[in-house]
Amino acid sequence: MKTRLIILAALLLLFLLSCSRDDSDVLANRIDSGSWKITYYYDKDHDETSDYSGMSFIFNDDGTVNASSTSVSYTGTWSTGNDDSATKLYLNFGSPAALIEISDDWMILNQSNSKIELQDDSDSGTELLTFEKI
């Protein structure tokens, strides 16, 4: 009986550890390597990807993100974490309007070393955002 309880406790512990895996560290290690571009941005009812054409993003270790095009550069902040049982990417820019538009807490749908697919569900509709490594 005592052996069965020990085995059951060990299995329960393994199950709990596997469920609490933190993908935010995986995302942080991927995104702060190299330059990224937005290849898809769908805002509630229409595609706005063209608003980010020619823009590149560099996610720095210190939590800043630089968004730049050929003539202008903007700085914002980024972080990762878990909220509502979902791994999230948090983006925050103060200007311009196009970057304020993507300032949000984005749920990670899929991630690889070269592509990160994000989603935000708000009361006014679903937004989708995809970054791909340049």
Side-chain angles (χ1 to χ4, degrees):
M1 178 72 174
K2 190 174 184 180
T3 304
R4 286 184 185 178
L5 285 176
I6 291 172
I7 291 172
L8 182 60
L11 290 174
L12 180 60
L13 181 62
L14 286 173
F15 175 75
L16 291 175
L17 289 174
S18 68
C19 290
S20 64
R21 196 177 118 218
D22 187 358
D23 285 338
S24 65
D25 290 336
V26 173
L27 175 63
N29 289 332
R30 282 189 171 134
I31 205 164
D32 70 358
S33 170
S35 296
W36 298 80
K37 65 180 178 177
I38 292 176
T39 57
Y40 186 64
Y41 177 55
Y42 183 83
D43 185 17
K44 298 170 189 75
D45 63 353
H46 57 285
D47 187 330
E48 295 184 13
T49 308
S50 63
D51 292 350
Y52 306 92
S53 178
M55 191 170 281
S56 64
F57 295 80
I58 296 176
F59 296 84
N60 301 303
D61 291 351
D62 65 0
T64 59
V65 55
N66 297 322
S68 59
S69 62
T70 54
S71 61
V72 67
S73 180
Y74 300 96
T75 301
T77 61
W78 73 278
S79 63
T80 60
N82 291 304
D83 186 30
D84 300 326
S85 300
T87 302
K88 293 194 174 182
L89 171 66
Y90 301 92
L91 287 175
N92 187 26
F93 287 95
S95 64
L99 294 176
I100 293 171
E101 184 88 15
I102 62 169
S103 294
D104 217 328
D105 58 331
W106 294 94
M107 181 174 60
I108 310 304
L109 294 178
N110 294 301
Q111 62 174 308
S112 71
N113 289 332
S114 60
K115 188 175 188 176
I116 300 169
E117 297 174 308
L118 309 162
Q119 177 178 331
D120 178 53
D121 290 322
S122 65
D123 294 336
S124 57
T126 297
E127 296 175 78
L128 300 170
L129 178 64
T130 301
F131 283 99
E132 290 191 46
K133 194 169 254 187
I134 297 175

